[in-house]
């Protein structure tokens, strides 16, 4: 039997960050996953710590976008139709929460998490060389449509004023080429956010945090978290050689989290937004050094250690649906017209699942009616950004400390 104070289930960025923070505080922790750390959704995101993202991603409610999505023409969002009937409860609630008034109100609680992202990352990275993977270059949002830009500018300026977020709007080809010198003249305007931090290799960052966890005495075990059971003293997961036991358990299973929570009586209206990425060989005559979100087509181009990464928008599908990288095929020719890209560096695009809640808030806190069972999942597009923030909240709760912020909007009890 291997025993510890806490079992952390899931070795993505949220799970690794939580295990590290617990171990850093002297709380013995076993991190558990069915595969090696960081091979799920944390492996292939766009690699941006989005300090500016005080508004979570809402569902577009205008008729043209909805029609385009239904007809399969919207490159930013795609519906896998066989999965949709089971996702209707999630989609209906997501639609309701995405009204402008309700969406803007979400910024108040959500910003309390986002505002702490870099402070908690700094603490997590102490004693490592992880900072060499980080570039404080910010992120660029490009707009081809003047109407789309004007609407986005109003919202961006409102959030900037409310939450003290520095930004600049660049209009016209000459201004845009100051930050994107090799870009084709496709954008009428670009909004530059300065506080976002770009990660050259998100998986390498996670591994550095994992190695620090191990160096501090943390344990890692390959096991199936779905076999979790309650014991008289806590929780247990069957290990390869002997059971893994802890007084507390943290569910940080990402896309699989709702399956485990249902086993313990909490049924959640979780939805999955699948994302794909592929790398391209950089053009030495036209270096691409910025991180650019093409807002009209819903993809991101960003330089990574492996090449220029194209990350797609959202595909709504079930957990068991085979990959269907249609959005990669749709957006690649658009990206190639925008900036010179070399050959593809992978044969098959990578795919990951973003676990999303219909109210766009993550699930952080104690599971109802389950003593010492903690939830840390549902971060949607911001798992990388909010991993260490979530870790700090969970560690405080396990230690019995008063929370640093109002956790009611993120409570599992809201469902």
């Amino acid at each position: 039997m291997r025993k510890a104070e806490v079992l952390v289930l899931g070795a993505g960025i949220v799970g690794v960050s939580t295990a590290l923070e617990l171990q850093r505080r002297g709380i013995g922790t076993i991190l558990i996953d069915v595969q090696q750390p960081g091979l799920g959704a944390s492996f292939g995101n766009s690699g941006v710590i989005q300090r500016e993202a005080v508004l979570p991603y809402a569902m577009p409610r205008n008729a043209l976008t909805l029609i385009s999505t239904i007809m399969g023409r919207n490159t930013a969002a795609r519906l896998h139709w066989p999965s949709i009937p089971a996702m209707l409860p999630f989609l209906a609630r997501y639609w309701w929460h995405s009204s402008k008034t309700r969406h803007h109100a979400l910024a108040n609680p959500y910003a309390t998490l986002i505002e702490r992202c870099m402070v908690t990352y700094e603490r997590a990275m102490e004693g490592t060389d992880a900072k060499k993977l980080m570039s404080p270059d910010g992120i660029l949002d490009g707009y081809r449509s003047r109407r789309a830009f004007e609407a986005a500018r109003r919202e961006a300026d409102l959030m900037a004023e409310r939450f003290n977020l520095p930004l600049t709007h660049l209009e016209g080809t000459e201004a845009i080429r100051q930050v994107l010198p090799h870009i084709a003249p496709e954008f009428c305007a670009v909004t530059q956010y300065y506080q976002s931090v770009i990660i050259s290799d998100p998986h390498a960052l996670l591994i550095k945090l994992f190695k620090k966890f191990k160096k501090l005495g943390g344990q890692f075990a390959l096991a199936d978290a779905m076999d979790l059971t309650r014991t008289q003293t806590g929780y247990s997961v069957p290990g390869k050689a002997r059971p893994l036991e802890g007084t507390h358990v943290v569910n940080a299973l990402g896309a699989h989290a709702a399956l485990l929570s249902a086993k313990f009586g909490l049924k959640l209206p979780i939805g999955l937004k699948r994302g794909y990425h592929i790398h391209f060989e950089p053009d030495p005559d036209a270096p691409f050094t910025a991180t650019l979100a093409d807002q009209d087509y819903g993809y991101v181009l960003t330089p990574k250690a492996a090449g220029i990464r194209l990350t797609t928008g959202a595909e709504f599908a079930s957990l068991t649906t085979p990959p269907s990288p249609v959005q990669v095929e749709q957006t690649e020719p658009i990206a190639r017209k925008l900036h010179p890209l070399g050959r593809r560096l992978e044969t098959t695009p990578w795919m990951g699942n973003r676990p999303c809640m219909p109210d766009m808030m993550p699930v952080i806190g104690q599971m109802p009616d389950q003593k010492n069972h903690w939830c840390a999942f549902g971060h949607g597009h911001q798992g990388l950004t909010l991993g260490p923030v979530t870790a700090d909240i969970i560690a405080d709760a396990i230690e019995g400390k008063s929370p640093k912020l109002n956790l009611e909007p993120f409570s599992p009890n809201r469902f």
Side-chain angles (χ1 to χ4, degrees):
M1 182 184 301
R2 290 169 64 181
K3 300 187 75 171
E5 184 68 15
V6 184
L7 305 179
V8 174
L9 311 179
I13 189 62
V14 176
V16 168
S17 298
T18 301
L20 170 57
E21 180 60 19
L22 290 165
Q23 197 67 39
R24 192 189 69 82
R25 298 188 188 198
I27 301 171
T29 300
I30 302 175
L31 179 64
I32 298 171
D33 206 318
V34 292
Q35 59 186 350
Q36 293 297 320
L39 297 182
S42 296
F43 181 85
N45 51 60
S46 57
V48 185
I49 301 174
Q50 287 190 254
R51 171 62 184 84
E52 90 292 345
V54 294
L55 267 180
Y57 288 96
M59 178 189 288
R61 289 168 58 110
N62 68 79
L64 287 177
T65 301
L66 289 173
I67 292 170
S68 175
T69 304
I70 290 170
M71 296 181 69
R73 296 176 182 171
N74 182 7
T75 57
R78 181 172 183 269
L79 304 175
H80 180 260
W81 284 104
S83 304
I84 297 306
M87 295 183 72
L88 283 177
F90 164 79
L91 292 170
R93 295 190 192 189
Y94 189 18
W95 163 268
W96 188 85
H97 284 288
S98 294
S99 74
K100 186 173 182 179
T101 300
R102 284 185 282 269
H103 184 218
H104 280 200
L106 291 175
N108 290 322
Y110 200 66
T112 64
L113 300 177
I114 294 291
E115 288 168 345
R116 300 178 60 225
C117 63
M118 287 314 303
V119 172
T120 51
Y121 256 108
E122 291 283 350
R123 188 170 62 209
M125 294 186 300
E126 286 177 359
T128 77
D129 62 349
K131 272 196 172 182
K132 71 181 185 181
L133 301 172
M134 295 188 168
S135 174
D137 289 339
I139 188 171
L140 305 170
D141 285 354
Y143 298 91
R144 298 162 185 259
S145 158
R146 172 60 58 176
R147 178 180 292 182
F149 169 64
E150 293 299 341
R153 174 160 64 178
R154 288 192 293 271
E155 186 170 84
D157 289 345
L158 176 64
M159 293 300 123
E161 184 177 354
R162 280 173 63 181
F163 300 105
N164 191 28
L165 298 169
L167 58 80
T168 300
H169 301 296
L170 305 169
E171 299 184 60
T173 301
E174 293 305 314
I176 292 170
R177 282 194 168 160
Q178 292 177 19
V179 293
L180 294 166
H182 302 288
I183 212 80
E186 299 286 337
F187 295 130
C188 67
V190 165
T191 297
Q192 183 174 17
Y193 293 96
Y194 294 100
Q195 293 184 330
S196 300
V197 176
I198 312 306
I199 311 301
S200 63
D201 189 336
H203 182 250
L205 171 65
L206 182 147
I207 294 302
K208 289 181 184 295
L209 300 183
F210 173 69
K211 287 181 177 178
K212 179 180 175 181
F213 162 71
K214 293 275 287 182
K215 187 176 181 180
L216 291 173
Q219 303 177 64
F220 175 71
L222 289 169
D224 190 347
M226 294 301 165
D227 293 330
L228 179 75
T229 57
R230 285 218 61 151
T231 67
Q232 290 185 340
T233 57
Y235 297 87
S236 178
V237 174
K240 286 189 175 181
R242 53 193 187 279
L244 310 166
E245 297 203 347
T247 305
H248 297 259
V249 67
V250 180
N251 180 350
L253 289 169
H256 295 83
L259 298 176
L260 184 68
S261 69
K263 179 178 175 179
F264 286 84
L266 179 63
K267 294 184 179 180
L268 297 170
I270 198 167
L272 298 180
K273 294 183 183 180
R274 305 202 305 186
Y276 298 83
H277 85 221
I278 196 158
H279 292 98
F280 299 95
E281 189 173 58
D283 184 335
D285 296 324
F288 190 81
T289 58
T291 291
L292 171 68
D294 187 336
Q295 293 295 329
D296 291 75
Y297 290 101
Y299 66 90
V300 175
L301 281 180
T302 179
K304 292 286 176 269
I308 298 176
R309 178 178 292 184
L310 184 154
T311 306
T312 68
E315 179 187 42
F316 293 85
S318 71
L319 192 59
T320 57
T321 302
S324 53
V326 173
Q327 288 164 298
V328 172
E329 306 305 326
Q330 289 176 321
T331 54
E332 180 181 341
I334 297 167
R336 286 189 178 279
K337 289 181 181 179
L338 188 67
H339 182 86
L341 299 173
R343 63 185 178 88
R344 282 190 179 193
L345 297 177
E346 298 100 1
T347 304
T348 304
W350 172 91
M351 186 201 80
N353 291 288
R354 308 176 185 106
C356 303
M357 306 312 299
D359 61 359
M360 293 164 269
M361 297 286 106
V363 182
I364 308 173
Q366 183 162 289
M367 183 177 288
D369 304 318
Q370 297 293 330
K371 183 181 178 182
N372 297 335
H373 191 144
W374 307 93
C375 299
F377 54 83
H379 294 79
H381 294 257
Q382 299 300 345
L384 178 67
T385 300
L386 296 177
V389 177
T390 303
D392 188 53
I393 293 169
I394 294 295
D396 278 351
I398 288 175
E399 288 190 320
K401 294 181 177 179
S402 298
K404 298 181 177 75
L405 56 138
N406 178 20
L407 299 180
E408 187 175 350
F410 320 114
S411 172
N413 287 299
R414 72 189 194 266
F415 299 106

